[in-house]
Amino acid sequence: MAMLARLALCSRSPSRIRQSNVCPVSIRAFAQSKFPRPHGKSLAHRSELKKAKRIVVKLGSAVVTRDECGLALGRLASIVEQVAMLQNQGREMMIVTSGAVAFGKQRLRHEILLSQSVRQALHSGQNQLKEMSVPVLEARACAAAGQSGLMALYEAMFTQYSTCTAQILVTNLDFYDEQKRRNLNSTLHELLRMNIVPIINTNDAVVPPPVPNSDLQGGNVISVKDNDSLAARLAVEMKADLLIALSDVEGLYDRPPGTDDAKLIDIFYPGDQQSITYGSKSRVGIGGMEAKVKAALWALQGGTSVVIANGTHPKVTGHVITDIVEGKKVGTFFSEVKPAGPTVEQQTEMARHAGRALASLDPEQRGEIICSLADLLTEKKDEILSANKRDMELATTSGRLSQPLIDRLSLSTSKLNSLAIGLRQLAVSSRDSVGRVLRRTRVANNLELEQITVPIGVLLVIFESRPDCLPQVSALAIASGNALLLKGGKEASNTNRILHQLAQEALSIHGVADAIQLVSTREEVEDLCRLDKLIDLIIPRGSSQLVREIQRAAKGIPVLGHSEGICHVYIDNDASIDKAIDIGIDSKCDYPAACNAMETLLIHRDLLRTPIFDQIIDMLRTEHVKIHAGPRFASHLTFSPSEVKSLRTEYGDLECCIEVVDSMQDAVDHIHKYGSSHTDVIVTESEEKAEQFLQQVDSACVFWNSSSRFADGYRFGLGAEVGISTARIHARGPVGLEGLLTTKWVLRGEGHTVADFSEQGSMKYLHENIPIPQGGFS
């Protein structure tokens, strides 16, 4: 009757009818086309969770309640918002909730204390109140008192999102009795058909009480009924695609959370139970992680995918459910399909272990590996170009890539030869890198301190469309003794695969093939950026959008790179016309997709309507460069090209902006306002203005009378680069070998203690600099 009353209320509610623009039938029809997955086998990968149509969300005791404070209203509100959002997408959402005992306990305690207070006031007077105690509260009575209030709370919260709810109370008999089971199934299907969110709980008012614990004896925590088995049974019974079990831990650990070396398990497979050491049960419920795992495996066997995650963490509660459904790496995902290769976490551990062995090699041995890779690039060029041709054909036919990205994807014999030359150059120049002494100090007699260069650790390089990036960064990682994790775009998968094989073949000559790993699993970039305990530095190579996304996602890992390449060339009124034309053509047209290509041409006002200006415009038109007029340039023209939408645009194609400035200082101010601190150029015959420009422009690369395209590690003589950084700390500009090294301090003594240098001690600090011989190594 309660359910029918709520359904009737829902159908009568004019506010809900007004606020909802989609009828239940049309939402269900839309869902059939958007999530067309027949139930049967569980989803094999996290990325497939986006297909989940019917979802059960189980709210554990610790999620719903707060110690001694009843329900956690803030958490519940954010969970309701996420469930309502998914429901309004056309999915079918169900909630299995705890909380009735907690809610009822809070109400009964309040009533008992109020009653005791009134009685004492009547018998003893207001000023002689005795200390009041709460008697033991029986769980079933608490549940009876709390069920209506809990449901009213859910109704009020879901109403804010024009979503109707219905309460279902069940016991074990509803699953074991065939007629009751069919009735339950029919009721739930009817509710889902009408776009209603069923909220299910065990009928704790009539079930046998749980085992007594400290809470039911008047302790400081709240005990509520565990619903793990209920959620699993319900998910299988209703053929749900996904069961999300929220508790107060991040997921399943290989040993109790908080213990040494406990690791969160990303994906759990049936048969892995023996590798798990379970801890104590939930602090507020009667279940524990072992019960959750058993329920999850039972649901998985029944065809429902399962994720166990944290629903109490304040930083993630507001999006934990939607993140899971979007396929993000949250909590522990239960899967029946075990991948053939290692997980990305295992790859990272393998790379770190082999990377330490790589760092311990002699510089000559690391140089041999790099030279071997260079030789393989030329020896295996036919295989490389064949794989690249397949990638190019797929990219062209798919139509998903822009022309600049297709240009970056392309490899040629000349590119491979240039790569090989750069790698051999790096092999020679890198021999005094790792272990080089930067500073040596005599702290005191027989106490010497050294600062030496060491590898950073594990690098994650994420790149798109540019397979030539792989051998470059591989060689730099080898030279610097760093382990390397590579994540390339799928558009270059064939080329990346063979280049990685060649890198591992070169590494194998000294037994460190695992130091460089290519991530080929379905890991999302955002998920990789969360591996802050495994990765030491992220280097993105790709579009400005990719770099910005990585910078946002990598909360705990430093990111080395630049988000945009808005490079300027300023033509001064004292410029040579030949130099201006040659530099302008080269900066824009040599490789328009490159991050160091010119995007804005600044022209001194005095050059307007002069032969040099006309020749510059003719040059750009001859090269088929589309011109966008800056606002000041447009004001000088009667018929101007299309006015630029933004002066902060990176075109990455045969397009550029032209803007007029009044002086060299005006050009500097424009660059500081609209540039990206990448590469900026002045073309002038005035040495005084050139030096002022070089000093004042705060960019990673600042050039005088030379093309912006020189901003490159190979052209700088670095041999190779991992990218160009516009950061103002650590490496800046083209980042080569030096940018991939950090330092450590080494102190050598003979039993020295700090007490020796106190006022009563026998020793004094000297702090004398010790000369470092050329090529000095620790």
Side-chain angles (χ1 to χ4, degrees), residues 85-157:
M85 186 184 77
L86 293 171
Q87 179 82 1
N88 291 331
Q89 289 177 359
R91 304 180 197 266
E92 296 175 343
M93 305 299 296
M94 293 178 279
I95 293 178
V96 175
T97 181
S98 302
V101 174
F103 198 102
K105 186 172 187 177
Q106 184 184 36
R107 289 181 60 185
L108 292 179
R109 279 184 170 178
H110 177 76
E111 293 297 329
I112 291 170
L113 290 173
L114 181 62
S115 176
Q116 288 180 347
S117 175
V118 171
R119 285 199 302 271
Q120 288 191 31
L122 292 173
H123 291 89
S124 306
Q126 289 285 353
N127 298 324
Q128 301 178 11
L129 294 179
K130 299 178 181 179
E131 184 178 347
M132 293 175 287
S133 60
V134 180
V136 173
L137 298 176
E138 206 272 329
R140 285 176 292 188
C142 293
Q147 286 286 3
S148 59
L150 178 64
M151 192 59 205
L153 180 64
Y154 274 118
E155 277 195 344
M157 288 182 172

Side-chain angles (χ1 to χ4, degrees), residues 573-765:
N573 57 342
D574 290 327
S576 158
I577 186 169
D578 292 334
K579 292 178 183 176
I581 291 174
D582 290 344
I583 291 170
I585 289 176
D586 193 74
S587 295
K588 178 72 259 185
C589 305
D590 176 66
Y591 188 10
C595 64
N596 57 11
M598 178 190 76
E599 303 295 2
T600 298
L601 180 65
L602 300 176
I603 299 179
H604 193 285
R605 181 185 57 188
D606 293 349
L607 298 180
L608 290 176
R609 300 184 178 87
T610 65
I612 187 172
F613 173 76
D614 294 337
Q615 286 184 261
I616 291 171
I617 297 299
D618 290 341
M619 171 270 295
L620 293 173
R621 286 175 175 166
T622 301
E623 297 294 331
H624 305 290
V625 177
K626 182 178 180 180
I627 297 172
H628 302 275
R632 293 191 63 188
F633 179 45
S635 68
H636 288 277
L637 304 175
T638 305
F639 300 100
S640 68
S642 61
E643 189 165 339
V644 68
K645 295 180 180 178
S646 170
L647 290 168
R648 291 192 181 94
T649 301
E650 182 179 13
Y651 299 99
D653 207 344
L654 283 173
E655 297 181 61
C656 76
C657 167
I658 295 181
E659 184 58 311
V660 174
V661 292
D662 294 333
S663 64
M664 183 277 296
Q665 188 59 54
D666 196 17
V668 171
D669 293 340
H670 178 102
I671 290 168
H672 286 163
K673 185 174 183 179
Y674 299 108
S676 62
S677 301
H678 192 295
T679 301
D680 298 292
V681 178
I682 182 172
V683 182
T684 184
E685 296 303 299
S686 168
E687 183 176 354
E688 179 183 357
K689 284 193 280 188
E691 290 300 329
Q692 289 178 352
F693 185 90
L694 296 177
Q695 293 297 320
Q696 291 183 30
V697 172
D698 185 20
S699 295
C701 301
V702 190
F703 301 160
W704 173 24
N705 285 346
S706 52
S707 169
S708 63
R709 292 280 290 124
F710 279 105
D712 176 82
Y714 170 70
R715 299 184 180 105
F716 278 10
L718 304 180
E721 67 174 35
V722 293
I724 295 180
S725 172
T726 55
R728 285 171 171 76
I729 57 174
H730 190 48
R732 198 169 189 224
V735 180
L737 178 62
E738 295 295 325
L740 299 181
L741 295 171
T742 185
T743 64
K744 73 176 178 182
W745 297 89
V746 177
L747 187 65
R748 295 182 176 90
E750 294 183 358
H752 292 74
T753 65
V754 171
D756 294 334
F757 296 86
S758 65
E759 292 183 4
Q760 295 79 25
S762 59
M763 302 192 73
K764 293 187 179 297
Y765 289 111

